[in-house]
Amino acid sequence: MRIAIDAMGSDKGSQVFIKAISDFVNDYHDVEIFVFGNDQDLVSLKGKNRIKIINTTQVINMNDGLLSLRRKTDSSMNRMLDYLAANKVDGVLSAGSTAGLLTCALLKIKLITGIDRPCLIATIPASKDRYFQLLDMGANSECNPQNLMQFAILGKKYAEVIYHKKDPEIMLLNIGSESNKGDKLHKEAYELLKNNTSLNFKGNIEGRDIFSGNVDVVVTDGFSGNMTLKAMEGTAFFAFSELKHVVSSSFVRKLAGLILKKSLKNMKNNLDYSKYGGAFLIGFEQPIIKAHGSSNDFAIYNALIRLHTIIKNDTINLIKKELL
Amino acid sequence: MRIAIDAMGSDKGSQVFIKAISDFVNDYHDVEIFVFGNDQDLVSLKGKNRIKIINTTQVINMNDGLLSLRRKTDSSMNRMLDYLAANKVDGVLSAGSTAGLLTCALLKIKLITGIDRPCLIATIPASKDRYFQLLDMGANSECNPQNLMQFAILGKKYAEVIYHKKDPEIMLLNIGSESNKGDKLHKEAYELLKNNTSLNFKGNIEGRDIFSGNVDVVVTDGFSGNMTLKAMEGTAFFAFSELKHVVSSSFVRKLAGLILKKSLKNMKNNLDYSKYGGAFLIGFEQPIIKAHGSSNDFAIYNALIRLHTIIKNDTINLIKKELL
């Protein structure tokens, strides 16, 4: 299995990739890695078994417009996607600009027939040791009802292939559970989803209920999805800073904090979506993973495992079969 | 000060109002309360000093459409609003249907000149022992850029009058911090806010940063605001159920949990927005508070204090002066 990585454009610099890639290559013996970036930054990966460094001279950043994205032909992101387009690799990963990755990919990589827009899908832990898939997490800030319907189909298939869910329960993220709730987009999407008999559609769900462990796929437009994800991040971070405050406010509380330290840390990691294996840019004919810009090496490592699983399970071909 | 309460339509029944009203009347000697509802349910309030019960025979519920809202003239909600419209009371509170309250109020109560849509404003605790105002929390699922600009003005004035903030820092909730982020609505609203020199507008803010304690007023459309609020509720609830799981998973952890119990409970209440004093339906010429449908008696009591403060500070007249 051949994987390409864009090692530039992360908020934390190229260093987070060094350990992640080394560990990943040690743990997964079937992979060969192509790392795109400034080779001065990647010198400690040089000469390692099954790792190849391709020196690039440009970096895609947050402010690059369409013209600039096209012109930066020697950027790590574009070069990585060129390898994918030419089938020199089986999948790619970047922690760079989401908009940049989406646009460059749309220019180079084919969409699955029947899908108008790719979107970002992430797996979120919930109660009862269950997970749910949230999509679109922010690839499309403007969506139409048809897009949401296609997201539902992609999410369903992803839950089936990767999480072995039979007939996954799909719900529409909305501001009320009744069928007549929400804006025009969500009312129309509700009707489309309800009338699609191939989907196990269970109606609207509110943000306060998505962690209940009673839903497999939560469908939303990219604007609302991104809003929701960031509110989740903000609240989790705030809850833990408050908790930290509590367990440092007296001697006995400090002691209690020490006893709970390891469990609390596990719990924090579970709720920290930036550490959570990245999001799959679903809808393309080839696998593209977007890791969070602020990912640490552990998060990049998890994102690589996610990509490995997607490739190994032939996920995209299985999605395509469903859409035929 | 005369306050009217719609004691029907709460998810938890009329019982939550009994203790809240009794405590409130005991603690605030300047108030006289008019309670609207089925007098069979309110019998334990009967004959109490400064409490008057007005028996009503109908209840507004979640599914009532416009016609039904108009026809239910003897509903607790409509009767309460009639008292407000006739200046028989100085402010009102309901825990019933948000859409119902909004529609009935629009039929009976004047909007402040210059305001096209009322909206829901709530006060949320953040880091550094600070608070921020979030509006619209869900009154308007479809908004235009002008609406968001008016919400900013209302929020600014509310932060000034109630929280004594000088020149409150106002930010627009969006999916990125750069000025070009978001959908059409948010891009246009950004320009309007930026060009309004009477506002201390500081740009876009993402959900993950609203708890930072660095912003006074967060402006958003009702759909995104409600999405955000519910994601916050869901995450806080999930974090605490995980925490509960941790502190019951072994004997020493149980001990640690006991030590932290009181602090953790305080923290939970701080993060539980359903317990948080209700939201002010801002934009009307008279004060209307919407308490959360699942409010307990403590939450209703807090919402009554909020209403008392709004009336006492002559908040609406001060907002009106700003808009002249």
Side-chain angles (χ1 to χ4, degrees), chain A residues 100-233:
Chain A
L101 183 63
L102 181 67
T103 308
C104 292
L106 281 166
L107 293 169
K108 293 174 194 290
I109 311 296
K110 270 191 203 154
L111 285 172
I112 294 173
T113 311
I115 298 298
D116 300 320
R117 297 286 307 169
C119 77
L120 284 166
I121 182 167
T123 305
I124 315 269
S127 298
K128 306 174 191 168
D129 291 323
R130 281 180 66 176
Y131 292 85
F132 66 94
Q133 313 304 323
L134 181 66
L135 78 170
D136 176 15
M137 271 175 44
N140 309 283
S141 28
E142 315 261 10
C143 289
N144 62 39
Q146 279 291 346
N147 295 146
L148 295 196
M149 161 86 120
Q150 292 171 8
F151 298 166
I153 296 168
L154 292 171
K156 168 199 160 92
K157 214 53 211 168
Y158 188 75
E160 282 175 2
V161 175
I162 301 287
Y163 290 90
H164 314 292
K165 283 278 166 199
K166 277 194 180 165
D167 212 15
E169 299 195 335
I170 297 165
M171 298 186 85
L172 178 66
L173 189 63
N174 206 334
I175 56 171
S177 53
E178 305 83 6
S179 63
N180 61 347
K181 282 284 171 149
D183 55 8
K184 195 165 167 277
L185 169 67
H186 288 79
K187 284 177 190 167
E188 290 180 13
Y190 185 96
E191 289 305 311
L192 279 183
L193 291 164
K194 197 184 70 183
N195 294 325
N196 184 331
T197 50
S198 76
L199 298 175
N200 185 11
F201 180 58
K202 295 288 188 185
N204 287 324
I205 188 165
E206 297 179 82
R208 70 163 75 107
D209 298 319
I210 54 180
F211 295 99
S212 60
N214 297 327
V215 58
D216 300 309
V217 178
V218 176
V219 174
T220 174
D221 63 287
F223 193 88
S224 304
N226 200 273
M227 280 275 180
T228 296
L229 194 82
K230 283 173 179 163
M232 279 155 50
E233 278 180 31

Side-chain angles (χ1 to χ4, degrees), chain A residues 1-4 30-34 87-91 311:
Chain A
M1 184 186 300
R2 302 153 307 165
I3 287 174
D30 60 343
V31 297
E32 190 183 351
I33 309 281
F34 299 81
N87 280 310
K88 289 184 186 169
V89 292
D90 305 302
I311 298 170

Side-chain angles (χ1 to χ4, degrees), chain B residues 13 22 34 56-57 98 119 121 157 203 243 257:
Chain B
S22 308
F34 298 81
T56 55
T57 56
T98 304
C119 77
I121 184 167
K157 214 52 212 170
L243 191 57

Side-chain angles (χ1 to χ4, degrees), chain B residues 22-53:
Chain B
S22 308
D23 288 353
F24 185 64
V25 166
N26 280 340
D27 297 346
Y28 289 78
H29 297 132
D30 59 344
V31 297
E32 189 182 354
I33 309 279
F34 298 81
V35 192
F36 294 80
N38 181 338
D39 62 1
Q40 300 296 309
D41 296 345
L42 302 167
V43 78
S44 56
L45 287 176
K46 230 171 212 170
K48 282 205 179 178
N49 204 10
R50 291 182 283 122
I51 298 178
K52 191 162 181 236
I53 293 161

Side-chain angles (χ1 to χ4, degrees), chain A residues 261-307:
Chain A
K261 196 173 180 181
K262 205 183 151 191
S263 312
L264 291 175
K265 205 174 168 185
N266 281 341
M267 190 183 140
K268 184 166 189 269
N269 282 336
N270 259 346
L271 283 166
D272 187 348
Y273 306 102
S274 69
K275 309 250 155 57
Y276 222 78
F280 178 28
L281 198 46
I282 198 168
F284 286 109
E285 289 235 334
Q286 290 172 289
I288 303 172
I289 289 276
K290 167 68 179 81
H292 201 292
S294 67
S295 295
N296 59 15
D297 47 27
F298 180 68
I300 299 288
Y301 177 83
N302 282 336
L304 285 167
I305 294 177
R306 171 72 37 104
L307 179 56

Side-chain angles (χ1 to χ4, degrees), chain B residues 186-289:
Chain B
H186 288 79
K187 284 177 191 168
E188 290 180 11
Y190 185 96
E191 289 305 311
L192 279 184
L193 290 165
K194 198 184 69 180
N195 294 326
N196 185 330
T197 50
S198 77
L199 299 175
N200 184 12
F201 179 59
K202 295 289 188 183
N204 287 324
I205 189 166
E206 298 179 82
R208 69 163 76 107
D209 298 319
I210 54 179
F211 295 100
S212 60
N214 298 326
V215 59
D216 300 309
V217 178
V218 176
V219 174
T220 175
D221 62 286
F223 194 88
S224 303
N226 200 273
M227 281 274 179
T228 296
L229 194 82
K230 282 172 180 164
M232 279 156 48
E233 278 180 30
T235 311
F237 188 81
F238 180 56
F240 278 96
S241 70
E242 291 286 287
L243 191 57
K244 210 170 166 183
H245 188 71
V246 164
V247 299
S248 61
S249 56
S250 80
F251 177 71
V252 278
R253 285 195 203 118
K254 270 182 197 159
L255 202 69
L258 272 177
I259 294 169
L260 297 175
K261 196 172 179 182
K262 203 183 152 193
S263 312
L264 292 175
K265 206 174 169 188
N266 281 341
M267 192 182 139
K268 186 165 187 270
N269 283 336
N270 258 346
L271 284 166
D272 188 347
Y273 306 102
S274 69
K275 309 250 158 56
Y276 222 79
F280 177 29
L281 199 45
I282 197 168
F284 286 108
E285 289 235 334
Q286 289 172 289
I288 303 173
I289 290 273

